[in-house]
Amino acid sequence: MKTRVLLALLFISSISFAQQRGGYGGGANSQITGKITGTIVDGETSEAVSYATVVIKSPKDGETINGVVTGDDGSFKLVGLKLGKYTVEVSFVGYQKFTQEVELTPKEPDYEFEKISLSADTDQLDEVVVSGQRETIENKIDRIVYNAEQDVANMGGDASDVLRRAPLLSVDQDGNVSLRGNQNVQILINGKPSSMFGANTGDALKMIPSDQIKSVEVITSPSAKYDGEGTAGIINIITKKQTPQGFAGNVDLTAGTRINRGVVGINAGKGRLGFNANGSSFYSWPQYATTDFYQKTEVNGQTNIREQNGENLSNRLGYFGNMGAFYDFNAYHSLSTSLRLRGFNSKSEGTNDVLENLGGTENTYQRFQDNNSQNWGYEWSLDYVMKFPDQEGREFSASYKIDGNVRDQQFEIDQDAPENYEVARNLNDGNNTENTAQIDYVHPIGEKFKIESGFKSIIRDIDSDFQYEFKPQESNQYEVIDNRTDIFYYNQDVYAGYVSTQTNITKKLGVIAGVRYEYTGLQGSFEEATDRNFDPLSYENWLPSVIVNQKFGKFNSIKLSYNRRIQRPSLRNVNPYEEIGNIRNISFGNPTLNPELSDNYELGFSTFLKGTSVNLSFFYNDISEVIQSVIFEDAERNATVTTFENVGTQQNVGSNLFISTELFKIWTIRGGVNANYFMSEGVIQGQEVENNAWLFSGNINSNIKLPNDWMIDAFGFARPRRQTLQGYNPSFSIFGMGIKKQIWDKRGSIGLSIVEPFKARKPFETELGSEDSDFYQRNVFAIPFRSFGINFSYKFGQLDYKARQKRSRISNDDQKSGGNDGQTF
C-alpha cells in the first residue's frame, strides 16, 4: 500500500496544475469550462481506492492535459476544463489501467463517473505474491514478511525479541541470529547494512527498540541485485518511518526487572517535504552470572587440567537515534537523507576460583577481572531517485553513505598469587570507516519484462590500536609490553556490478534471473611489527541466481530457486589483537582468512485457505572454506589459543514448515518447525575431523483479541545446539506472554509482559572435543532470566499518515556475521 501511494504521489505531482493547451476543445472563443468527477473502487471488494492517479490526455497525440489523485474516499474532481474530447486514464500499482474517452460539450459540459472499478493486475512483475493474513505474514517470491507491529508481546523489548518471533529465524541468548541453522546471515536496517553489526550482533540488536520495528523481511533467495554476502540469506529490519501530513509523535516507556527503556519519536510533513526523528535509550539492571568451566588437554605426553568457578556482575547502557528527511522536487525527481547515531556501554566485573593441574603440579588461586566496553557510531546517507515520465517503472538512482564505528575496550586482570602472578591491562581501540557509492537502473521492456543493472563500491578502512600493560610485583606502575602493543591497519575494498531480469512467462509463471560480479581487494599492515605485514590479496567471484515461481489458482504457488553466495570474514574475524582473558587463555583473529562460498537450492510451496496460511520449503546448501573459531593447546605458551580458520566444508539439507491460522476471528496462532541434517568435515591442527547431527528448532505465537480493546499474546521459541567441527555451542529456548489494553480512544496503551515465569536462572552449556581425546572443554554459563515489565505508550498529534517510506539504495550486505566467538574491535 505504501509503495502504491508513493508512486501515485510522485507521478501526479509533475502533471498536476499543468498548463492547459490553447486552441483545444471548445475553441479559443469559448468561455464555458467543464469538469470530470467520479469515484474509484476496488473491483472485488468495492472499497475505495485512495491516492489512485487520474489523468486526462489529448486523444490526438496522447499528451497529458491535467491530473489529480483520489482522496481517502476514492473520489476525484478535475475542473476548469475546456470543452472537447479527452481520454481519461486511471492507474494504481497492483491494478489494471482503466481508459475511457469522454466529451465535454456546450450542452453537457460536466461528465460524472458514478464508479470506476479497477481490476487486479495479475501480470505485475513485482507482485508475484501469495498473501495470507496480510496483517501478520506475507509470502512473496523471494522472502517472507513478518509484520511485527501487530504482536503485543513485542512491547518493551528489542530487535532480538522481534527476530525470535519471525519465521525461519533462531536467536540465541547472546543475540546471534541463525537462518535455518546457519549464522552466516546479513542483517540490514531499512535495506541498508550497518557497521554496528560488525563487532557484536547481540549488542547491536539491543540498541533497536521493538516499538520502532514495523516488519522483518526474511529473504531466503536473494536475487543478483543484492550484495552477495550472507550464505544463509538476508534479514531486513524495517523501522516505522511513516511521514504524516501535519505533525505527530509518540512516547513509549518500559520498566522491568531486567530492562528499562524509553522511546520518543516525532513525524512532520507538509506537501512534498517530510521529516522524522526518534530516539531511545535502555538500561539493564546489574545482574549476576555464574560460570563452571572445565578443560583437559594433552600435549607432548603432558596432561593439563584447568577448572574455574566464579560469579560475574554486569550491566549495560545504550542509546539509539535516527533522523530522516525527504523532498520531492516534482513527480520525477526526489532527494532523501538520513542520519543515525548509536552508542552502547557495558561493564562487568567478577571473581573466579581457579584450580590448575599442569603436568601433575597443582595450584589454586583467585582471579579478579574487570571489563569495560564503549561503543559508538554514526551513519549518514544521501539518495537521489529519478523517474522517467515517458515510461512507467523506468528509474535511475544514485546513493552515497558514510558509516563509522568506534569500539574501545579495557580488560583488567588482577591475579596476585605469587606462583601465578599476573596484574595486567589489555586495551583495544578500534575505528572502522566505510564509504559506499552505488548507482542502479531499472528499465521495463513491454509489460512483462524488466531488466535491472547497477554498480557499487565499498571502501573500508579499519584501525585497531592494541596495547598490553603489565604491573611487575612490588611495583605500582604499569609497563607497556612492546611485542604485544601495536596498531593494525586493514583495508577491504569491494567493487560489484550486476544484471538481473524479471519476466512473467505466463500470467502465473514468473522468473527472476541474474548474475553478480564482485571483486575484493585486501591489505593489512602494522605500524611497528612491519615483518607481519602481508602482501595485498584479491579474489573475484561470479554469483548467479534464479527464482522460478508458479502460481496455481489464486492462493497457491511453488517456488524453485538457486543462488551462489559469498561470506567474507568480518572485521572481528581478522583482527590480530591478542586478547588475554587470563594467563592460560589467549585469543586473536586471522587477517589471511579466505571467504566462504555457498551454493544454495530451495523448493518452496505456499498456500492460503480459509484463514490459514502455510509455507513449506525444502533446502540444501553446500559451503566451502567454512570459517569457524578453533581452540587448541599452545605448548610454548602453556595456554590454550582461540582463533579463526578456514576449517573445511559443510552441507545442510532440511525442511521448514510455517503455519499461520485464525480461529473464531479473535485468535491467531502462528508457528514453525525447522529440521535439517548438518554434515561437516575438515582439518584442525593437522587432524581430520568431522561432525554430523540432526538439528531441530521452532517457534509458536498466539494472539487473542478481546472486547474493550484488550489483547493477549504468548510466544515460545527453541533452537538447537550450534554445531562446529570441534563440538557444539549452547542451545536456547524462551517462553513469554503479554497483555495490553488500549486507552484514550486508542491513542495510548498500557501493557504487562512476563518472560520465563517458571525459571529464575537459565544455564547454557558449551562442549568442545571429547573426554577421551587430546582436547576436551565444557563450560556452563548461567544467568538470571525471569523478568517482568510494564509498558506505557502514547501517540499525539494529527495522525494523518500518507504512509511514505524512504530507504537508501545502499545495502552493504557483504560480511560474515560477528557472533560472540572471537575478537571484537
Side-chain angles (χ1 to χ4, degrees):
M1 179 66 181
K2 294 182 179 180
T3 303
R4 296 174 179 177
V5 174
L6 174 61
L7 291 177
L9 291 175
L10 288 173
F11 178 75
I12 198 61
S13 63
S14 69
I15 59 174
S16 297
F17 314 111
Q19 188 175 19
Q20 296 182 8
R21 299 167 61 209
Y24 175 75
N29 297 324
S30 176
Q31 302 299 315
I32 299 176
T33 60
K35 63 181 180 180
I36 301 175
T37 59
T39 301
I40 313 300
V41 299
D42 185 289
E44 294 187 6
T45 66
S46 296
E47 295 180 354
V49 178
S50 307
Y51 315 111
T53 302
V54 182
V55 297
I56 56 173
K57 298 182 177 181
S58 165
K60 296 181 180 179
D61 55 16
E63 182 176 348
T64 297
I65 307 301
N66 207 341
V68 71
V69 294
T70 60
D72 292 336
D73 59 354
S75 65
F76 70 91
K77 181 185 294 186
L78 292 160
V79 298
L81 303 177
K82 292 184 177 181
L83 304 183
K85 293 183 179 181
Y86 296 94
T87 299
V88 178
E89 289 186 359
V90 180
S91 60
F92 197 23
V93 177
Y95 292 93
Q96 296 179 11
K97 183 180 292 185
F98 170 87
T99 303
Q100 181 175 319
E101 286 195 5
V102 301
E103 184 175 7
L104 307 183
T105 65
K107 184 177 180 181
E108 296 182 354
D110 301 332
Y111 190 94
E112 180 180 3
F113 291 93
E114 291 186 2
K115 283 187 179 180
I116 297 177
S117 299
L118 299 184
S119 301
D121 186 359
T122 58
D123 291 337
Q124 185 177 339
L125 289 173
D126 288 334
E127 295 293 329
V128 187
V129 176
V130 179
S131 298
Q133 292 186 290
R134 188 175 294 273
E135 73 282 1
T136 305
I137 300 294
E138 297 179 64
N139 295 318
K140 297 191 176 183
I141 187 171
D142 63 345
R143 71 195 66 193
I144 297 177
V145 180
Y146 164 55
N147 293 307
E149 61 183 347
Q150 303 298 324
D151 275 359
V152 60
N154 286 324
M155 292 188 311
D158 54 50
S160 61
D161 299 311
V162 176
L163 296 187
R164 288 188 180 110
R165 300 179 180 93
L168 311 183
L169 300 184
S170 301
V171 186
D172 66 16
Q173 76 281 0
D174 295 316
N176 299 313
V177 184
S178 300
L179 174 56
R180 293 170 171 165
N182 190 337
Q183 279 195 338
N184 293 337
V185 297
Q186 183 64 31
I187 302 177
L188 311 178
I189 300 178
N190 296 321
K192 299 185 293 183
S194 172
S195 64
M196 64 191 291
F197 293 109
N200 188 300
T201 302
D203 289 349
L205 292 175
K206 287 181 174 63
M207 298 182 195
I208 308 172
S210 60
D211 313 83
Q212 293 298 310
I213 298 178
K214 176 179 177 60
S215 61
V216 176
E217 298 178 345
V218 183
I219 307 175
T220 59
S221 303
S223 64
K225 69 179 180 180
Y226 292 98
D227 285 353
E229 190 68 14
T231 55
I234 296 172
I235 300 169
N236 189 18
I237 300 174
I238 307 298
T239 59
K240 297 175 181 177
K241 296 176 62 178
Q242 292 177 316
T243 300
Q245 292 295 307
F247 177 82
N250 65 282
V251 177
D252 297 275
L253 301 173
T254 299
T257 58
R258 299 285 171 236
I259 295 290
N260 303 279
R261 185 185 297 276
V263 181
V264 177
I266 59 172
N267 294 272
K270 184 177 182 180
R272 300 193 301 272
L273 177 66
F275 172 81
N276 62 74
N278 64 74
S280 68
S281 64
F282 76 90
Y283 174 73
S284 66
W285 298 108
Q287 60 182 11
Y288 281 98
T290 61
T291 299
D292 182 4
F293 176 86
Y294 174 83
Q295 183 188 82
K296 179 180 72 71
T297 63
E298 292 186 12
V299 178
N300 300 326
Q302 176 179 306
T303 300
N304 299 326
I305 296 177
R306 304 178 180 94
E307 296 184 60
Q308 178 176 306
N309 297 278
E311 196 172 53
N312 186 72
L313 179 66
S314 64
N315 67 286
R316 298 178 175 182
L317 173 67
Y319 60 87
F320 182 82
N322 182 78
M323 295 178 289
F326 72 87
Y327 181 72
D328 292 333
F329 296 95
N330 52 39
Y332 307 112
H333 301 272
S334 64
L335 197 66
S336 64
T337 185
S338 68
L339 174 66
R340 181 177 292 117
L341 303 173
R342 58 184 181 269
F344 185 83
N345 300 332
S346 63
K347 177 180 176 60
S348 64
E349 58 182 26
T351 302
N352 295 276
D353 295 318
V354 181
L355 184 151
E356 291 183 344
N357 189 322
L358 306 179
T361 302
E362 186 172 296
N363 293 304
T364 60
Y365 53 90
Q366 280 193 330
R367 177 193 304 118
F368 174 79
Q369 297 175 178
D370 189 357
N371 189 10
N372 289 278
S373 178
Q374 296 181 336
N375 311 268
W376 67 273
Y378 64 91
E379 297 174 33
W380 177 73
S381 63
L382 181 66
D383 297 85
Y384 166 74
V385 177
M386 179 178 69
K387 298 179 182 294
F388 294 80
D390 58 339
Q391 189 173 18
E392 184 177 354
R394 186 180 173 194
E395 181 180 289
F396 170 83
S397 63
S399 306
Y400 169 76
K401 182 170 79 78
I402 183 171
D403 189 338
N405 194 69
V406 176
R407 184 178 179 90
D408 298 336
Q409 296 183 92
Q410 178 174 305
F411 188 86
E412 296 187 13
I413 301 172
D414 190 343
Q415 187 174 292
D416 58 5
E419 65 278 11
N420 293 281
Y421 180 86
E422 184 178 22
V423 179
R425 283 197 302 233
N426 236 351
L427 300 99
N428 184 210
D429 297 339
N431 189 354
N432 172 24
T433 303
E434 298 181 3
N435 285 273
T436 305
Q438 178 175 335
I439 58 173
D440 296 277
Y441 177 68
V442 181
H443 192 100
I445 301 176
E447 296 183 357
K448 296 185 177 183
F449 187 80
K450 180 171 68 176
I451 186 168
E452 300 177 76
S453 61
F455 173 80
K456 181 177 183 178
S457 67
I458 310 170
I459 309 299
R460 292 189 174 98
D461 297 310
I462 304 100
D463 301 341
S464 179
D465 186 346
F466 53 91
Q467 181 171 298
Y468 181 78
E469 300 176 352
F470 183 80
K471 182 194 289 185
Q473 297 187 54
E474 310 300 332
S475 175
N476 293 323
Q477 299 295 325
Y478 284 93
E479 298 178 0
V480 176
I481 307 303
D482 291 336
N483 62 357
R484 289 159 65 175
T485 300
D486 210 334
I487 302 177
F488 176 60
Y489 303 102
Y490 184 76
N491 305 105
Q492 183 189 87
D493 301 335
V494 179
Y495 302 94
Y498 73 91
V499 175
S500 180
T501 62
Q502 297 185 33
T503 182
N504 281 356
I505 298 175
T506 68
K507 289 186 176 182
K508 295 184 179 295
L509 178 61
V511 177
I512 300 176
V515 64
R516 186 180 186 89
Y517 168 80
E518 294 192 351
Y519 169 88
T520 306
L522 307 172
Q523 187 171 4
S525 62
F526 293 82
E527 185 161 296
E528 299 293 338
T530 56
D531 58 311
R532 299 177 61 187
N533 296 351
F534 58 87
D535 294 332
L537 306 173
S538 65
Y539 43 84
E540 301 175 84
N541 299 99
W542 291 92
L543 308 172
S545 65
V546 60
I547 306 171
V548 180
N549 190 86
Q550 174 69 58
K551 294 179 65 176
F552 298 92
K554 192 172 183 180
F555 298 113
N556 306 317
S557 70
I558 290 180
K559 177 182 71 174
L560 180 64
S561 69
Y562 163 78
N563 60 68
R564 170 167 285 188
R565 309 285 292 167
I566 184 176
Q567 191 75 59
R568 297 178 183 86
S570 70
L571 307 181
R572 64 183 294 120
N573 299 141
V574 302
N575 187 5
Y577 147 67
E578 291 189 358
E579 183 178 284
I580 314 297
N582 57 69
I583 196 172
R584 307 297 182 193
N585 184 9
I586 303 170
S587 55
F588 50 86
N590 180 359
T592 61
L593 288 171
N594 294 320
E596 297 180 358
L597 283 175
S598 175
D599 292 292
N600 309 288
Y601 305 83
E602 180 181 359
L603 174 63
F605 170 75
S606 298
T607 186
F608 178 72
L609 179 64
K610 295 182 180 180
T612 299
S613 174
V614 178
N615 182 279
L616 174 65
S617 63
F618 302 90
F619 66 90
Y620 170 77
N621 57 60
D622 186 2
I623 308 172
S624 60
E625 299 279 5
V626 173
I627 299 173
Q628 285 184 4
S629 65
V630 297
I631 303 176
F632 55 88
E633 183 79 8
D634 188 326
E636 293 183 3
R637 303 193 192 194
N638 202 15
T640 56
V641 170
T642 302
T643 187
F644 292 91
E645 293 181 359
N646 295 107
V647 295
T649 62
Q650 177 180 315
Q651 293 83 38
N652 293 279
V653 57
S655 177
N656 310 111
L657 174 64
F658 185 83
I659 300 176
S660 177
T661 186
E662 184 179 90
L663 304 175
F664 315 117
K665 295 184 178 181
I666 63 169
W667 187 8
T668 300
I669 299 176
R670 302 183 305 278
V673 178
N674 311 312
N676 74 280
Y677 188 63
F678 168 91
M679 299 166 285
S680 184
E681 60 182 17
V683 177
I684 297 179
Q685 292 296 291
Q687 295 185 356
E688 294 185 0
V689 187
E690 66 176 33
N691 185 12
N692 303 324
W694 275 103
L695 305 175
F696 300 92
S697 64
N699 62 359
I700 187 168
N701 296 269
S702 176
N703 179 274
I704 300 176
K705 297 180 180 179
L706 299 176
N708 300 318
D709 298 321
W710 284 92
M711 288 184 288
I712 299 175
D713 192 14
F715 72 94
F717 162 84
R719 60 156 287 171
R721 297 169 170 176
R722 187 168 61 87
Q723 303 293 315
T724 70
L725 271 178
Q726 287 188 298
Y728 64 84
N729 289 315
S731 60
F732 180 70
S733 63
I734 190 172
F735 167 76
M737 60 186 303
I739 184 171
K740 181 174 78 170
K741 163 68 175 172
Q742 292 182 318
I743 57 177
W744 301 332
D745 195 25
K746 296 186 178 182
R747 284 182 173 265
S749 68
I750 187 168
L752 177 69
S753 62
I754 304 172
V755 176
E756 292 292 0
F758 310 114
K759 284 189 177 181
R761 303 178 68 84
K762 182 172 288 190
F764 301 94
E765 182 179 6
T766 299
E767 189 171 20
L768 302 176
S770 60
E771 295 188 62
D772 58 355
S773 68
D774 293 341
F775 176 83
Y776 175 71
Q777 178 176 298
R778 184 190 70 252
N779 184 32
V780 181
F781 180 72
I783 59 176
F785 227 82
R786 180 189 297 152
S787 68
F788 301 87
I790 187 170
N791 172 268
F792 169 78
S793 177
Y794 177 67
K795 299 178 180 179
F796 57 88
Q798 181 181 355
L799 303 178
D800 184 18
Y801 285 99
K802 302 307 178 185
R804 177 190 179 98
Q805 179 168 308
K806 280 285 187 182
R807 302 186 202 170
S808 173
R809 301 306 172 101
I810 291 178
S811 301
N812 292 350
D813 37 350
D814 71 326
Q815 287 191 319
K816 185 178 178 68
S817 176
N820 277 329
D821 50 347
Q823 302 312 298
T824 57
F825 275 50

